[in-house]
Amino acid sequence: AATATAAVAAKPRAPKLSADAALRAFPDASGGMAEYELIVYTANARGAGTDGVVSVKIVGDKGTTQWKRLRGDELSRGSVVTFELTAADVNDLSHLAVRLEPSDGAASRLHSSWKLDKIEALHRGTGWKSVFNCGAWVSRDDPMVLLDEADTWQAKTKYTIVAHTMDRKAADWTGAAYVTLRGAWGASRELFLGAPGAKAATFSRGGAQRFELTADGVGPLLAADVRVECGENVADAWGLEKLVVSPDGAPEHGGEFPAGVWLSAEAPTAVLEKERRLVDLCVAVFTAAGGGGADAPGGNGGAGSATPDFDGEMFLTLHGAGGDSQELALVNDATVEGPPGTAKTLFSAARPTRFPLRVPDVGAVKAVSVRLVASGTANSSSWLLDHVELEWPAAGAAHATGLPEPGAKKAVAGAGKKPGGGGGGVHVYGSRRWLHPEDGAARLLRQLPPAEYSVAVSTDADSDAFDGDVFLTLLGELGDADEVKLVNKRDGNFAPGAHADFVVACGGVGALMGLRVRVEQSGAVAWWRLGRVTVTPRRAGGAPVYFRYNGWIHAPSTVELTSQSMFEYRFTVVPATGSDEPFAGEVFVQPEGADYLAEWVQVCGGAAGTAAASAGISSGAPGHVTVKLTDLGALRGVNVKTGAGSAGPLQLSRVEVLNVTAGGDPFVCLAANDGGGREELSPGEETWLSATARRPHDVAVVLRGGAATWRGRLFLELECEEGACEPVALTAAAAAGAEPELELELSPGVNAGLSLTTLDRGAVTSVTVRAEGGAAAALDLDRVVIGGGSGSNGGGGDGARTFVFVRGGGGVAPDGSMVLRMLEDVEYAVAVGSGDVPGNGHDGKVFVTLVGDIAESSEMELLPENEDGAFERGAADSCTVTAPDVGALKAVKVRLGLAASDADDVHSDWHVKSFTVTNTKTGAKTAFAADRWVEAGGEATLAAASSENTFHEYTVKVTPADGEEGLIGDDGAAARVRLVGELGQTLIMRLRPANGQPAGGNNGAAVYQVQGKDVGQIKSIGFGLGNEDGDYVYRDIRRVDVRDATSGATAVFHARRYIYSWEGLVELPAAPHDASYAVTVTTAALGGGGAATLTASLVLHGADGDTPPLPLAPPWGGNELSVSPGSSDTFHVASVDVGVLRAITLSAAPAPGGGGGGGAAWNVGSVEVVASASDDAAVFEHGAPLPLGSSARIARTVCEVEYDVLVVMSSCRGAGTDCSAEVMLGGAGGETGWLPLPGATLARGAVA
């Protein structure tokens, strides 16, 4: 091996191509134009800026752009400058060429070099942003660099905007129009409505122009700002009817934005609100009486004097659960007459001032904002507001009625009423306060009626004994209540496993929407693991609202919880068939879902008048009860128990759990199958029943040719290896969001797209078909094809096996049934021609799978008649295979087995020239597109000659270990790869130096472009090294990255090993984790502690989340650890990247069987965790025994570290200084702060 390594290292490396030469390998892009945004980062180093001219050339999978000069701001030291470019569309970016030239009018040489840090390039059409790192000087001697893409991500959202023009005379227009989208997350940049590079767009009368634009994702859209650039001619105007905006991937965030406006030079802008329904309300403004007071402004009277009237302007904004309204002007011209010819609104303490409004619905209004504008009179400088009332019409009242007319006399709104909510009533906002025009808008909160709530707080059993303070804020439909403190009594309301009850008094918030929990540390413990909070209004009919958390909270911090939905669940307990007599005792069930374990629910045997009351249950009369519970999620199973006072045992068959609210099929929990499918429960006995997996089946129903169209319902009863399933109705696929169709319309031939779901009882052995409906004629059935699928709860039995059943004779009469038998096998004649090409011939086995329009056969071996010379160069072979009639053939899958000699020859491939299959029963003959190579041990799919294949472009990046030679530049060396995905696998594709490019850096990584079959999501790859000249090679490969250029999907495959050409293809699965950690646990020598044998696991808590429990297993295998005082053990684990580590949870348990040590505790001294990606080292000191069978949460220890800092001073003139110096270090764990460098001599040329 050493000799081979030396030989490889001695090979001369090919000279590196210059950037200019490498660029010539890329063709010019042809086609449309695209817009790009480039952000140029100049390094923050002395002399890094440049006065030269910088040009770029963008390279992608469609070619290159022309050179584009970056015009704009100077590229000075440390600058970050953004440039907008319009150039040829190169689609997916891969490289970026940068060129530095003398500035215009300067000498032929540059004055200075330029140190480029990096460039971020955004393709506005696709929304993908790429990063091109440089970190080097672009000099006069080497003025051009070619940068490789270092990273890419979807940075923008694509919006489809359709602009509708009015169907009115002169509404059409040609000009430049722009739109800015405003959403819940912010506002986008201004977007030009037109093609890239164009300066104007044409909007035809009554037309709808469609634009696809890319911008920052702004979340659910709220409004759109439109701006046009028009000439001064008054006729140059655009009649905009509306905009329809749809974000890509989230159409629910878009909507229609009605306009109905003319845009011109005089009115070039418009704000379009998202379409909302209009609602009527009456605003009543109350001026305070009495005025004066210590807070009264000068000139408004002393204490006890009357409040002056206010005759300025008032504007109101509604803040609702569904957003904010526009600012509404409160104008009532009939209130008072001011100076001649001027109508005014007067706000007086003599009576409230009312304003009828029709506004967009913003949901429940939680607050209003009031803004004043002075009119210039003495009575508009200040105003004493009492409150504002919003009066909503009663539910069902017409919008046009029930509102006061301007100036009409009416009783004071809200007099004699309490503030209400819902469909009608009066809501009161604000309290007595002085307002001044110069203060801007004043926000008035809704006055909530007083209310009391019962609050139950559950602390998880594995929590620390939290002794701090807990505060709650109720968040409701009507507003937010004031924060209240929950008293932590001495006996520990928040101790592990505690359930504490509180009564709080605050404002009534209406329907509870959320809960804000704030914790403060007032004792010794800062960590609290909150389980659940239940809030119940203390009034008649008040229903509890649940807030589940089940997580740690570290004081001081705040979390917001959302309410958990309440669902109706129906529990049915079914006794076994043949029970001697009805069971009359108590039966309880306790469901466990994916989200939580519910409380016990009594199903039968309850007191008279209760939901669980029943005289007795039997197989013919099962017991059932419907209750409301928090959403269980996917059901895992149920605990079942009988009452201790029951008269006799319960012969239990199954328990069914149906989510009545959500609908769908019930979950079925079957009793232990001891041959009779029953389980006996004695009085007071308890058992656990797991939820049985349900299995979806794809079904195709084939009617005979010439049969009449049949309409009705069709039921299938499947008899399986593990028992029979109940009859289930077939359903047809429906549009998204619609219910599946039960009424079927079946035509002669194949009727695919049908489905049903049954219990997973294994392989199907027979099918009973029952017809039901209004069809007068019999169902002229030919066959039923049932495709197996994965069980919904992890079942699946026989995987994707297909079962074909045919009729025995006659049809299915209306409202009749028929038992179908398994399909008889058919002989297929297979004729294969091997290509007459050098090196052809395969000595191994050949397997084939037939793919038809209604089924797919199992894999079968081809056994030609001339076995000795089969599949040789130029040979024609034939054989027969037996399989079910799969219908019209669409494709065949060919797989090559390895011959005995293939252990020494990985190139035993087979070139298929022709492939024909004939159904001997029907005489149908199908030819398949062949004339291709199939790799030894590989698989190929040959489509029928009339079908089409879909090919994708793939980018394959191969990264060797540091210091290892790469694949490019080695004479003749090449790699081979085969992609395996959910839709199949590609042929073996060769990665040759001719189609590869260096990926940058000094690790020899290379990027290759290959084309292969669309395999969908890539699950694994086969990777190997090959050499065209026959010499064996090997490389230490770190990883392989594959990107589907068509779909954008990526996958990473870690090798971390030497790969040898004589191994053939090495299978590399997709990397399941994105982080690895080295964990070192030190066992301390504590008093009384000794050696122990145990098993352990670790949970990492980081800034970005938590890992699942990670077993700490020794490298030699097994899971038992032997620890002793003073020992230090290192483990390597892999999991998700949780960011900067903050805490860990260490768990220990006795080794199975007691192990070799007798210690009852593990004396844990400290734990050190090092993240391999960032080298972030975190220490967690414990210094205490960890009892076996328990766990401990350990916070990160803040460590003081000593650093050696080396300062090398420049030797240029004036470089030294007599000032003191400080340094700040920044790392993955934060910053150190400024640290002085004591005693440093920072003279010219010094090394301190």
Side-chain angles (χ1 to χ4, degrees), residues 857-869:
S857 74
S858 57
E859 189 177 68
M860 302 164 288
E861 183 181 358
L862 295 184
L863 299 173
E865 297 172 358
N866 53 335
E867 297 182 9
D868 295 336

Side-chain angles (χ1 to χ4, degrees), residues 14 50 116 162 231 248 254 299 612 661 709 790 797 816 835 874 931 993 1073 1088 1155 1184:
T50 182
L116 171 63
V162 181
D248 188 23
T661 305
T709 299
S790 298
D931 198 11
H1073 306 299

Side-chain angles (χ1 to χ4, degrees), residues 1077-1089:
Y1077 301 89
V1079 180
T1080 302
V1081 184
T1082 301
T1083 302
L1086 302 177

Side-chain angles (χ1 to χ4, degrees), residues 195 218 265 288 296 308 317 374 566 664 667 862 869 889 946 960 984 1035 1085 1125 1154 1168:
V218 298
T317 303
M566 297 294 292
F667 289 93
L862 295 184
L889 293 178
S946 59
R1035 292 286 186 276
E1168 182 184 32

